[in-house]
Amino acid sequence: MKINFNDEKPEDIYKVGNVIKKDGDYLYLITEDAISKYSIVNLTRNAVIVTSNSLEELIAAFADDGDVLVNAEINVF
């Protein structure tokens, strides 16, 4: 398995469908639901941890400079 980590600015990596690594080994997925609410899902703990009306609000509430974009493939069975 190969996983690539890209260190970029939060505005560039916090986009719907992206997976972010922060706080050690925790992985987070950026999502959007049917009523245009944006959420961050903790993939390690299977829980929604932050929900917001816009990506900008989501970034302000959750993003840190050390966050890393993960080149990951999610398979649903």
Side-chain angles (χ1 to χ4, degrees):
M1 176 193 305
K2 182 178 179 182
I3 298 176
N4 296 318
F5 299 101
N6 300 315
D7 190 13
E8 300 179 25
K9 293 186 285 185
E11 307 82 54
D12 297 333
I13 65 174
Y14 277 80
K15 298 184 192 264
V16 174
N18 282 358
V19 175
I20 310 299
K21 179 182 176 198
K22 69 183 294 167
D23 302 329
D25 293 331
Y26 288 105
L27 297 175
Y28 301 90
L29 174 65
I30 311 305
T31 65
E32 180 181 13
D33 65 17
I35 57 172
S36 296
K37 295 263 187 189
Y38 298 90
S39 298
I40 295 179
V41 178
N42 183 326
L43 297 175
T44 307
R45 296 186 177 185
N46 298 319
V48 174
I49 58 169
V50 176
T51 299
S52 181
N53 291 320
S54 71
L55 281 174
E56 292 79 16
E57 288 177 10
L58 199 71
I59 291 168
F62 190 76
D64 292 320
D65 285 336
D67 297 350
V68 178
L69 177 63
V70 177
N71 183 5
E73 181 178 321
I74 299 174
N75 296 305
V76 179
F77 298 99

